[in-house]
Amino acid sequence: MQPPCNFGQKEVDPLQDDLTERQLTVLRWSWRRRAEVFLVPLPAVYTRTLCTHTPNPADPIEVHKRKLEQWFSHLPQEEKQFGGYFIPETMHVDPLIVSRQPAEKKGPLQAGPLQTGAPCTALTVEQLFEPMAEWGGARGLNVMLYGAVGTGKSTVIRKLVLDWCAGKTLTQFKLLVPFSCEDLSQLTKVSSLRDLVGRKYLHLRRIPMLSGEGDQAKEVLFLFNGMEKMKLDFRISTTELCSDPGEPLSSGAVVVNLLRKYLLPEASVLVTTRLSALESIPQKYVGRYAQICGFDNPERQRAYFTGRLLQQAGAGRAHPDREALIELLYLNLQRESRLSRACFLPSYCWLTCATLHFLHFTDSQAPIRTLTGIYTSFLRLNFGGEVLGPGQGADGSAREQQGSLMLYVVRTVGKLAFDGVKGKRISFSESELEQWVGGKTKTDEELRQLAVFRTDVLDFFLVHCPKRSGQGDERRYVFAVPAMQEYLAALYVVLGENKSALEKFSQQVSVAIGHVTEDVSSVVVILSKFIPLRIFAVFNLIKLFPKLYERVHSHNQGRIARTLAAEMFRTEDSFNEDVLDQVEQGLLGLHGPQPEQDDETQPFELYPIFMGGLLHYDNRVLLEQLGCSIKSTTVSQITRALRKHLMQELSKPQPPEELMDLLVLLYEFQNPRLTAEILSSIKTIRLCNVRMTPLKCFVLSSVLSCTPASYRLEELNLSSCYLTHHLLEMLWPAFRHAHNLNLQFNSLGPDSCIILRDLLLDSKSDIRSLQLCDNPLQESGVRTLLEALPQDQSLRHLSLMHTGLGDAGARQLASILHQHARLQEINVAYNNIGDSAALTLVDACREHPNIHTVHNVGKQSLYVRGVPSGQGGSGRRVQVLASVTEGSDLSESWHPILSVITENASTWDRQRVRDQLQVFLRDLEWGRQQQHSWWKRLHFRRVEKGVRNTLQMMEDNTAAPNKRKRIAK
């Protein structure tokens, strides 16, 4: 498995001992020492099933291997979204490692120069420690492995340690001692090398290989991960020379002497670092430079995606859906799209897999995951604990004040992203980068931080944009992943970084006066007995100023809520695909004829959704770890204002795509109370023609589950939504909140009728209208569905048009109608029902006390009115809507027939409706020709005009959205 760079040990650092475990080990050591036992045998609790060969459990090297394997096998919490059942080692894909000469150690970082034949040599981990003649055989080799953020440094180190524990690599070293430089930079006490090793690895406290005697250390490899976290000083005047492994030194001095080869010169050292810290170690102390360059071609990327997305709980299963998904992804990578440039970094490959897993493999039994949460976790995994400041000095001085690297990203790249979203732009010139990212830097420290940021981090977010005609020679940049621009812009706003000058000034003054009021409060209490009461008004004014700032701050949060609502319901975005489809298209691309589209006019519809998602508590906890704090009072103020603005916008009818986006926003927010209050103003959810996926079905059900059990929708329209049996199961909680359920024109088969039958029998549901037109239910499925009618008491309207009902289904329906007294209308048109079965059904409807209409298009002989036969006849008439003509005359029901077609023209299959209207026109023309009465001919023409108007309306409705989409794009 290959998590993104720099987060292999962010959540559970293998180099940091667990306190409880360490205390227990110390107690065991103390007890063993009294018994004069030299080495501590590892308790059985530490035995791992993967270690099948342990020649000597008391051997400290074997103990060390088992412990390292345990620590480095720990995965971040974010990996559980992929199922948690895979073996990470089987999914690892090696990034490209390139040998660099000292003169070119800062060579090209992008994939382009490597593919064009730049002089470089690809290396494996084994080849990193091949002997070098110029280095000398008596000394161990120092290797510096470096790379930009996201290229896979931590992943390579993690795999190297696990492979060494398993005996697969670097077998020439009997002992591997990994250190986290972040840990070492925090140490304040001096300690010797042996004490430093013993402090981290108690079982190695008295290992002879670290005694410094003879050449035993030649089989030892020290690994220092993240050297940029330390401030090393190689000046002899500052860091003294030392060759004794037992002499106490600062942690920085120990590392410096190891690299100088004064301390254990036979030992080898592997250092990993970022680009900006390459010069922290003088060139003469480095034997080999190697750069990690990520995934340099689509084949490596495809191998990574295959390893992650084809994981399944059971072995030997076929994965046709997942394999097709990988093929689409691979085709998009081959097009040299923006995604292919982003996936040059393994970190973005992880983000791509996580997003696709979220979009396509949502499981209702899995923990709640949100798109905002994925992006927040992605940044935490890459930038958690990262700061723009040096570590502890070599002389043991106190750690200098540092700033969060993520907060610096928000204030620079986030500002650039916000400017692009505000101006509807996705590409930026070099001058704009200088304006927003460089800013007005004045001090040397600001310039140093900017240099480090540009070297290590800027390329992680921005990539070069291919030149387009008319853009000139100036280079332009785009965000590697389009959604990242919207995420950073949303984070920039929610953190309040876009404050006005007045707000910033009032905040600074408020803080200053707030400190003053705290200092003088005690003095005021003492002087209150001697100072006249009027003078206290001055102190009260001072205390009131922070309250004034709070009002200004509250106004700012209301402005954020207004911005969110305004961006959510932009008129020009109303006819774009919903945001989840836009995210999918960004990853999988558009296949087939692609419409001409200007990249600079793409919609930013994820921006407001990310703003809402960032207010969720779980995301705020992750952001707090990154140094980006969103206060609970801020969330409360934004939420109150947001409720007001959303309810105002929802008073207007919304297109299906916009309504889907609103549901996604409420889902990302994860605030059940707010969701219930917003949905209380919605009585109809029409998502017709929205391509429903497992994720969208889960979102709809989750959002509606926040409402009370008594909440009911007048209509839930899911016609033409590509629903299947599996999706129907996920929608069950949503169906229980609907009175009228429209499932027309989907792919529901006989198995789906079992779910619908149980839904009708559910005591908590109240389905009054069920429309199943154009679903292949077949006779068996309809028979299953009809089993619910005798017990169901809520259904009023049942539509089974074009469902394969057949004669047997019609007769069964006729036989049980008398057991459902509340049914009022039935539609069984286009089911190939013969005359005999149709007459049986109509007769049963005439005997029914409440049924007033039966749709049976195409059966002219069924236009029957009159008193039913038999002695028990009720004398009631039933209207059978069959055709607009009856032989050579007009049907009295022509108007209701056309009304039904007009009302459902937007959801029914358009070609089928057109065909039926064409049949009506031919019938009308034939009937008009048979009439001799001028008055009746005029009546025929009037009906013809109504049919033609309906046809024209359908044509206009088909053309208008397409035209509006082209304009919006």
Side-chain angles (χ1 to χ4, degrees):
M1 184 191 61
Q2 185 151 356
C5 174
N6 287 343
F7 67 80
Q9 293 86 31
K10 291 296 184 185
E11 181 172 0
V12 180
D13 195 333
L15 306 182
Q16 296 181 2
D17 292 336
D18 183 85
L19 182 59
T20 304
E21 176 183 324
R22 186 175 178 184
Q23 290 173 343
L24 292 175
T25 307
V26 171
L27 290 175
R28 294 190 184 96
W29 168 256
S30 177
W31 181 82
R32 291 288 186 184
R33 188 169 52 184
R34 293 179 183 179
E36 297 182 351
V37 178
F38 181 70
L39 293 175
V40 185
L42 187 68
V45 68
Y46 293 115
T47 303
R48 183 170 181 175
T49 56
L50 294 179
C51 295
T52 58
H53 180 62
T54 53
N56 184 2
D59 184 0
I61 302 297
E62 295 300 325
V63 173
H64 184 58
K65 286 184 177 180
R66 288 197 297 272
K67 287 209 169 192
L68 283 183
E69 188 177 24
Q70 282 184 329
W71 294 334
F72 278 80
S73 295
H74 291 167
L75 298 177
Q77 181 73 20
E78 286 76 9
E79 294 293 347
K80 293 184 179 181
Q81 65 183 311
F82 294 103
Y85 42 70
F86 55 79
I87 300 176
E89 288 72 20
T90 64
M91 298 171 52
H92 178 80
V93 178
D94 290 319
L96 177 66
I97 302 178
V98 176
S99 176
R100 295 291 191 191
Q101 298 299 323
E104 61 175 12
K105 56 181 179 290
K106 288 189 178 181
L109 305 181
Q110 300 299 328
L114 296 177
Q115 295 175 346
T116 56
C120 59
T121 304
L123 294 176
T124 63
V125 174
E126 284 281 353
Q127 293 172 327
L128 290 176
F129 292 93
E130 289 182 349
M132 299 179 64
E134 61 272 18
W135 189 254
R139 293 186 300 167
L141 187 62
N142 290 348
V143 177
M144 177 172 279
L145 185 64
Y146 65 95
V149 174
T151 50
K153 297 187 299 297
S154 293
T155 300
V156 169
I157 294 304
R158 179 180 174 277
K159 186 65 165 51
L160 183 152
V161 173
L162 291 175
D163 284 349
W164 178 81
C165 294
K168 297 179 181 179
T169 189
L170 299 178
T171 54
Q172 68 269 34
F173 299 108
K174 290 185 179 179
L175 178 61
L176 173 63
V177 186
F179 282 100
S180 166
C181 292
E182 185 176 1
D183 289 348
L184 294 179
S185 67
Q186 300 284 350
L187 298 180
T188 56
K189 295 182 180 180
V190 296
S191 59
S192 66
L193 173 62
R194 299 199 65 180
D195 290 340
L196 197 62
V197 173
R199 180 174 181 173
K200 290 295 180 184
Y201 307 103
L202 186 63
H203 44 276
L204 299 179
R205 173 167 291 183
R206 298 185 180 181
I207 191 78
M209 301 173 103
L210 301 179
S211 64
E213 300 177 358
D215 61 349
Q216 296 183 82
K218 69 179 181 180
E219 296 177 329
V220 178
L221 172 62
F222 289 97
L223 193 162
F224 296 99
N225 189 29
M227 187 60 71
E228 69 275 359
K229 304 285 189 2
M230 300 187 70
K231 186 178 181 181
L232 302 181
D233 194 340
F234 283 81
R235 294 174 297 177
I236 296 180
S237 60
T238 306
T239 305
E240 60 179 321
L241 302 179
C242 176
S243 60
D244 183 6
E247 181 177 346
L249 297 170
S250 66
S251 59
V254 170
V255 176
V256 167
N257 278 283
L258 278 173
L259 292 170
R260 281 173 172 165
K261 296 305 178 185
Y262 277 91
L263 188 60
L264 299 183
E266 302 86 6
S268 297
V269 180
L270 174 62
V271 174
T272 70
T273 188
R274 294 205 304 248
L275 290 167
S276 61
L278 277 178
E279 304 300 335
S280 63
I281 302 178
Q283 182 177 316
K284 63 181 179 179
Y285 297 128
V286 179
R288 176 175 285 126
Y289 289 93
Q291 181 182 7
I292 297 182
C293 299
F295 295 151
D296 59 315
N297 58 65
E299 297 303 327
R300 290 181 190 263
Q301 298 165 1
R302 183 177 187 175
Y304 183 96
F305 295 136
T306 301
R308 285 202 174 254
L309 296 178
L310 287 187
Q311 292 299 317
Q312 193 82 1
R317 295 185 182 180
H319 315 281
D321 295 339
R322 301 190 179 209
E323 290 175 354
L325 190 67
I326 291 175
E327 286 299 323
L328 292 175
L329 187 60
Y330 181 61
L331 288 175
N332 196 28
L333 293 172
Q334 287 181 315
R335 294 173 179 172
E336 298 184 358
S337 61
R338 197 193 312 186
L339 178 67
S340 64
R341 297 194 295 275
C343 289
F344 172 73
L345 299 177
S347 293
Y348 279 111
C349 290
W350 182 92
L351 179 62
T352 300
C353 286
T355 305
L356 286 175
H357 196 276
F358 171 72
L359 292 174
H360 287 271
F361 309 122
T362 300
D363 185 0
S364 58
Q365 304 301 322
I368 293 291
R369 296 191 302 271
T370 64
L371 190 61
T372 313
I374 289 176
Y375 275 77
T376 307
S377 300
F378 169 73
L379 293 175
R380 186 188 75 89
L381 292 172
N382 282 278
F383 296 99
E386 298 289 345
V387 294
L388 267 178
Q392 183 186 25
D395 58 352
S397 60
R399 189 177 179 86
E400 297 182 28
Q401 185 178 4
Q402 303 175 8
S404 163
L405 178 58
M406 191 63 227
L407 188 58
Y408 192 90
V409 169
V410 174
R411 290 172 175 172
T412 54
V413 183
K415 185 189 298 184
L416 178 74
F418 175 72
D419 181 68
V421 170
K422 188 170 60 174
K424 295 296 178 183
R425 296 183 300 109
I426 65 169
S427 68
F428 308 91
S429 64
E430 291 184 340
S431 59
E432 288 173 322
L433 257 65
E434 181 63 31
Q435 175 187 359
W436 297 116
V437 177
K440 297 180 180 179
T441 54
K442 298 179 181 179
T443 66
D444 290 341
E445 178 62 20
E446 289 175 340
L447 290 174
R448 187 196 65 79
Q449 290 184 349
L450 178 61
V452 171
F453 179 76
R454 283 183 175 273
T455 303
D456 291 340
V457 182
L458 191 59
D459 288 339
F460 180 81
F461 292 101
L462 297 169
V463 297
H464 297 307
C465 177
K467 293 182 180 179
R468 299 170 63 92
S469 59
Q471 288 186 346
D473 296 333
E474 187 178 19
R475 301 185 72 176
R476 300 191 69 84
Y477 298 83
V478 295
F479 280 83
V481 172
M484 185 60 72
Q485 178 181 355
E486 301 179 68
Y487 178 90
L488 290 178
L491 185 57
Y492 180 78
V493 173
V494 173
L495 287 176
E497 294 297 328
N498 63 328
K499 296 185 181 76
S500 63
L502 174 62
E503 291 168 342
K504 293 179 180 179
F505 174 76
S506 60
Q507 180 182 16
Q508 295 172 357
V509 175
S510 174
V511 172
I513 293 182
H515 290 314
V516 171
T517 56
E518 292 176 2
D519 296 334
V520 303
S521 293
S522 56
V523 179
V524 169
V525 172
I526 297 174
L527 297 179
S528 60
K529 299 180 180 179
F530 309 101
I531 299 177
L533 295 177
R534 293 181 180 179
I535 299 180
F536 278 95
V538 177
F539 296 102
N540 291 333
L541 287 176
I542 294 177
K543 293 180 179 180
L544 282 176
F545 193 89
K547 296 182 179 180
L548 178 62
Y549 168 71
E550 286 299 325
R551 290 192 176 184
V552 175
H553 184 64
S554 177
H555 175 74
N556 182 51
Q557 310 313 324
R559 187 179 62 187
I560 293 176
R562 288 193 299 272
T563 301
L564 195 158
E567 291 291 336
M568 191 73 204
F569 299 101
R570 292 179 67 95
T571 305
E572 59 268 29
D573 295 338
S574 297
F575 297 97
N576 292 304
E577 292 85 358
D578 60 80
V579 292
L580 296 180
D581 279 352
Q582 292 177 30
V583 173
E584 181 181 351
Q585 289 176 10
L587 298 179
L588 303 181
L590 294 174
H591 301 278
Q594 299 185 20
E596 295 184 2
Q597 181 175 346
D598 184 4
D599 290 339
E600 293 294 339
T601 59
Q602 290 183 348
F604 292 99
E605 297 183 80
L606 267 176
Y607 168 58
I609 291 177
F610 278 143
M611 289 175 66
L614 288 169
L615 302 178
H616 178 38
Y617 176 76
D618 291 347
N619 291 325
R620 288 190 285 127
V621 170
L622 295 180
L623 290 171
E624 185 72 33
Q625 299 174 17
L626 291 170
C628 302
S629 177
I630 303 176
K631 298 180 180 179
S632 298
T633 54
T634 300
V635 176
S636 177
Q637 291 169 352
I638 295 177
T639 302
R640 285 198 299 268
L642 180 62
R643 181 189 301 109
K644 173 184 176 182
H645 293 295
L646 284 182
M647 296 186 74
Q648 287 177 352
E649 292 292 339
L650 289 175
S651 62
K652 314 167 190 175
Q654 300 295 332
E657 293 79 11
E658 293 294 296
L659 197 55
M660 188 70 239
D661 290 349
L662 172 68
L663 297 175
V664 174
L665 169 65
L666 295 176
Y667 173 76
E668 293 281 329
F669 210 150
Q670 290 293 307
N671 187 327
R673 182 176 178 179
L674 173 67
T675 300
E677 292 179 357
I678 296 298
L679 291 181
S680 64
S681 62
I682 299 178
K683 296 303 180 184
T684 300
I685 294 182
R686 293 189 177 95
L687 299 176
C688 50
N689 297 313
V690 172
R691 184 179 64 91
M692 297 298 289
T693 61
L695 174 60
K696 294 177 187 177
C697 294
F698 183 71
V699 166
L700 177 59
S701 294
S702 299
V703 168
L704 288 177
S705 296
C706 297
T707 59
S710 59
Y711 172 75
R712 287 293 183 271
L713 288 168
E714 289 299 324
E715 181 184 7
L716 177 57
N717 190 335
L718 296 174
S719 60
S720 302
C721 289
Y722 304 92
L723 296 180
T724 61
H725 173 72
H726 172 64
L727 298 181
L728 218 59
E729 294 177 336
M730 301 186 71
L731 288 168
W732 175 277
F735 291 161
R736 297 170 71 174
H737 290 279
H739 280 318
N740 301 323
L741 182 58
N742 189 338
L743 300 176
Q744 299 178 129
F745 305 105
N746 287 295
S747 302
L748 306 180
D751 293 340
S752 302
C753 293
I754 300 176
I755 299 176
L756 296 174
R757 176 198 63 190
D758 296 341
L759 177 66
L760 292 175
L761 295 176
D762 189 356
S763 59
K764 296 182 179 180
S765 66
D766 187 22
I767 304 296
R768 299 176 183 178
S769 175
L770 180 59
Q771 301 184 51
L772 298 170
C773 303
D774 265 87
N775 284 288
L777 304 180
Q778 306 303 322
E779 289 186 6
S780 59
V782 174
R783 191 177 301 113
T784 301
L785 178 65
L786 295 179
E787 292 175 3
L789 290 186
Q791 301 180 45
D792 174 69
Q793 297 300 319
S794 61
L795 196 63
R796 306 288 192 277
H797 305 274
L798 177 62
S799 176
L800 298 174
M801 184 181 77
H802 198 255
T803 55
L805 179 65
D807 289 353
R811 288 191 174 93
Q812 182 182 4
L813 177 59
S815 65
I816 63 174
L817 279 180
H818 66 281
Q819 302 181 45
H820 196 294
R822 296 191 176 185
L823 205 59
Q824 298 175 0
E825 185 176 354
I826 301 174
N827 189 345
V828 292
Y830 299 107
N831 276 298
N832 297 322
I833 301 175
D835 288 348
S836 175
L839 288 170
T840 301
L841 179 59
V842 171
D843 288 341
C845 291
R846 291 190 302 175
E847 298 293 338
H848 196 277
N850 289 316
I851 292 180
H852 55 74
T853 304
V854 179
H855 299 259
N856 202 333
V857 178
K859 296 292 180 182
Q860 299 182 15
S861 60
L862 295 183
Y863 188 83
V864 181
R865 292 181 183 272
V867 179
S869 59
Q871 297 178 355
S874 61
R876 193 178 58 83
R877 291 186 174 185
V878 176
Q879 183 174 233
V880 182
L881 303 182
S883 175
V884 292
T885 60
E886 294 176 359
S888 60
D889 205 351
L890 272 171
S891 167
E892 295 181 12
S893 302
W894 71 268
H895 189 271
I897 290 175
L898 290 183
S899 297
V900 170
I901 294 176
T902 303
E903 292 171 1
N904 295 276
S906 61
T907 57
W908 286 359
D909 181 58
R910 295 183 181 277
Q911 188 57 44
R912 184 177 299 278
V913 174
R914 289 192 192 98
D915 294 343
Q916 184 59 44
L917 292 177
Q918 293 292 346
V919 172
F920 288 167
L921 282 176
R922 287 195 295 270
D923 288 348
L924 288 168
E925 291 175 356
W926 179 82
R928 175 165 49 82
Q929 294 173 2
Q930 304 301 315
Q931 291 294 335
H932 299 287
S933 171
W934 177 84
W935 179 255
K936 286 189 176 182
R937 285 187 180 183
L938 185 61
H939 193 39
F940 267 93
R941 288 190 180 277
R942 186 164 65 88
V943 179
E944 283 184 53
K945 183 178 179 181
V947 175
R948 295 185 190 277
N949 289 339
T950 303
L951 272 172
Q952 185 62 39
M953 180 197 68
M954 292 184 61
E955 296 293 338
D956 294 341
N957 289 341
T958 303
N962 295 333
K963 181 178 179 181
R964 284 191 289 264
K965 281 187 178 182
R966 288 195 297 270
I967 293 175
K969 291 179 179 180

